[in-house]
Amino acid sequence: MIRFDHVAKRYGSQDALQNLNFELASGDFAFLTGHSGAGKSTLLKLVMMIERPTRGQVFVQNQNLNRLGNRHIPLIRRQVGVVFQNHQLLFDRSVFENVALPLYIAGMRGREVGRRVRASLDKVGLLAKEKSSPMTLSGGEQQRVGIARAVVNKPPVLLADEPTGNLDPELSAEIMNLFFEFNQVGVTVLIATHDISLIRTMSMRVLGLADGQLVYDGLLEDAPRSK
Ligand code: ADP
Ligand code: ADP
């Protein structure tokens, strides 16, 4: 789960988030929308402990992140899988090695690594590509490698920052379906996107940010169509 309790974040004199309150229960799925600069990335960074709140408290899996020191960051990172728009794949490593990276960082070695990496690649339909370089893959395939890497240690929470930003509508729908599948097995999913046309096709909870404030929390089909 993820809970924000009166959270504010300032960068210098810039308010990035103000008095943010919401909760995603375990197994929930939501989109995070808002204009560029609305605070989406900042919100995700607070969940990942890349940034700390200026005020208020952030809870992840019932842990108050304010109470955790920097040495606990790896613990949180193992519970929060992250998918980025530009994949952040290592092009000089194979698909297998890219997906294995979080396991190596967590100290896992040996046969268990191969087992987990292949289970993860299988879920995104890329088992046949484990030896390939990510460079030889299409944009959609690269994004699926990014997703396999994000879920390889089975995090209970999955975040994505504009995961379909570079993809056409058909591939975007495929990627979204993967997130639904992980959600179906109990993973809490939060996806930041400004692709309103995509999320209009899905009747899912939407958290709307504007100028650092939560201005909408509900199903998009109920939301005003303008703007
Ligand atoms: P979004 O992801 O919705 O585009 P961000 O969270 O990146 O929004 O940014 C929210 C606000 O915080 C913006 O005004 C942005 O310029 C500002 N901001 C983000 N990161 C920093 C930073 N490291 N230093 C200063 N200002 C920042
Ligand atoms: P194993 O039990 O051998 O590790 P899998 O790795 O295939 O088998 O995962 C077992 C189950 O856990 C699958 O149904 C899978 O979908 C589910 N699961 C739960 N959480 C996650 C997650 N964060 N990422 C991937 N799979 C998950």
Side-chain angles (χ1 to χ4, degrees), residues 2 21 26 40 92 96 110 123 128 149 153 162 172 182 205-206 217 225:
I2 299 171
N21 295 288
S26 282
K40 303 182 295 294
D92 59 342
F96 182 100
K123 277 176 207 140
R149 183 184 53 190
N153 50 20
E162 302 286 354
S172 297
F182 289 113
R205 181 174 171 195
V206 173
D217 183 356
R225 294 260 150 177

Coordinates of all heavy atoms in Angstrom, one line a residue, residues 2 21 26 40 92 96 110 123 128 149 153 162 172 182 205-206 217 225:
I2 N 0.2 2.3 -0.4 CA 0.9 3.6 -0.4 C -0.1 4.6 0.3 O -1.2 4.7 -0.1 CB 1.2 4.1 -1.8 CG1 2.1 3.2 -2.6 CG2 1.7 5.6 -1.8 CD1 2.2 3.5 -4.0
N21 N -3.1 14.2 0.3 CA -3.7 13.1 1.1 C -4.3 12.1 0.1 O -5.2 12.5 -0.6 CB -4.7 13.7 2.0 CG -4.2 14.6 3.1 OD1 -3.5 14.2 4.0 ND2 -4.4 15.9 2.9
S26 N -3.5 -2.1 -0.6 CA -2.9 -3.2 -1.2 C -3.7 -3.8 -2.3 O -4.9 -4.0 -2.1 CB -2.6 -4.3 -0.2 OG -1.5 -3.9 0.6
K40 N 4.0 15.0 -10.5 CA 3.9 13.5 -10.6 C 5.2 12.8 -10.3 O 5.2 11.9 -9.5 CB 3.5 13.1 -12.1 CG 2.1 13.7 -12.5 CD 1.8 13.3 -13.9 CE 2.7 13.7 -15.0 NZ 2.7 15.2 -15.2
D92 N 25.0 -2.5 -23.1 CA 26.2 -3.4 -23.3 C 26.0 -4.7 -22.5 O 27.0 -5.5 -22.4 CB 27.5 -2.7 -22.9 CG 27.4 -2.2 -21.4 OD1 26.3 -2.1 -20.9 OD2 28.5 -1.9 -20.8
F96 N 19.0 -10.8 -20.3 CA 19.0 -11.5 -19.0 C 19.7 -10.7 -17.9 O 19.2 -10.6 -16.8 CB 19.8 -12.9 -19.2 CG 19.9 -13.7 -18.0 CD1 19.0 -14.8 -17.8 CD2 20.8 -13.5 -17.0 CE1 19.1 -15.6 -16.7 CE2 20.9 -14.2 -15.9 CZ 20.0 -15.3 -15.7
G110 N 23.5 -17.5 -8.0 CA 23.3 -18.9 -8.3 C 22.1 -19.2 -9.1 O 21.5 -18.3 -9.8
K123 N 6.7 -13.8 -18.1 CA 5.5 -13.0 -17.8 C 5.3 -11.9 -18.8 O 4.2 -11.5 -19.1 CB 5.5 -12.4 -16.4 CG 5.0 -13.4 -15.4 CD 5.1 -12.9 -14.0 CE 5.3 -14.1 -13.0 NZ 6.3 -13.8 -11.9
A128 N 12.3 -15.8 -25.1 CA 13.2 -16.2 -26.2 C 14.3 -15.2 -26.4 O 15.3 -15.4 -27.2 CB 12.4 -16.3 -27.5
R149 N 12.4 -6.3 -15.4 CA 13.4 -6.0 -14.4 C 12.7 -5.4 -13.1 O 13.1 -5.6 -12.0 CB 14.3 -4.9 -14.9 CG 15.5 -4.6 -14.0 CD 16.3 -3.5 -14.6 NE 15.5 -2.3 -15.0 CZ 16.0 -1.3 -15.7 NH1 17.3 -1.3 -16.1 NH2 15.2 -0.4 -16.1
N153 N 12.1 -9.1 -8.5 CA 12.1 -9.6 -7.1 C 10.7 -9.5 -6.5 O 10.6 -9.4 -5.3 CB 13.2 -8.9 -6.3 CG 13.2 -7.4 -6.4 OD1 12.2 -6.9 -6.8 ND2 14.3 -6.8 -6.1
E162 N 5.4 7.5 -16.9 CA 5.2 7.6 -18.3 C 5.7 6.3 -19.1 O 6.5 6.4 -20.0 CB 5.9 8.8 -18.9 CG 5.5 10.1 -18.3 CD 4.1 10.6 -18.7 OE1 3.5 10.0 -19.6 OE2 3.6 11.6 -18.2
S172 N 1.0 0.7 -26.5 CA 0.7 1.2 -25.2 C -0.3 0.4 -24.5 O -0.2 0.1 -23.3 CB 0.2 2.6 -25.3 OG 1.2 3.5 -25.9
F182 N -0.3 -7.9 -13.5 CA 0.4 -7.9 -12.2 C -0.5 -7.4 -11.1 O -0.5 -8.0 -10.0 CB 1.7 -7.0 -12.3 CG 2.8 -7.6 -13.1 CD1 3.2 -7.0 -14.3 CD2 3.4 -8.7 -12.7 CE1 4.2 -7.5 -15.0 CE2 4.4 -9.3 -13.4 CZ 4.8 -8.7 -14.6
R205 N -9.3 4.0 -11.4 CA -9.1 5.2 -10.5 C -8.0 6.1 -11.1 O -7.0 5.6 -11.5 CB -8.7 4.7 -9.1 CG -8.6 5.8 -8.1 CD -8.3 5.2 -6.7 NE -8.0 6.2 -5.8 CZ -7.4 5.9 -4.6 NH1 -7.2 4.7 -4.3 NH2 -7.2 6.9 -3.7
V206 N -8.3 7.4 -11.0 CA -7.4 8.4 -11.5 C -7.1 9.4 -10.3 O -8.1 9.9 -9.8 CB -7.9 9.1 -12.7 CG1 -7.0 10.3 -13.1 CG2 -8.0 8.2 -13.9
D217 N -9.8 12.6 -7.6 CA -9.6 11.3 -7.2 C -10.9 10.5 -7.5 O -11.8 10.6 -6.7 CB -9.2 11.2 -5.7 CG -8.9 9.8 -5.2 OD1 -9.0 8.8 -6.0 OD2 -8.5 9.6 -4.0
R225 N -15.2 16.4 -19.1 CA -14.4 16.0 -20.3 C -13.6 17.1 -20.8 O -12.6 16.9 -21.6 CB -15.4 15.7 -21.5 CG -16.2 14.4 -21.2 CD -15.7 13.2 -21.9 NE -15.9 12.0 -21.2 CZ -15.6 10.8 -21.6 NH1 -15.0 10.6 -22.7 NH2 -15.8 9.8 -20.9

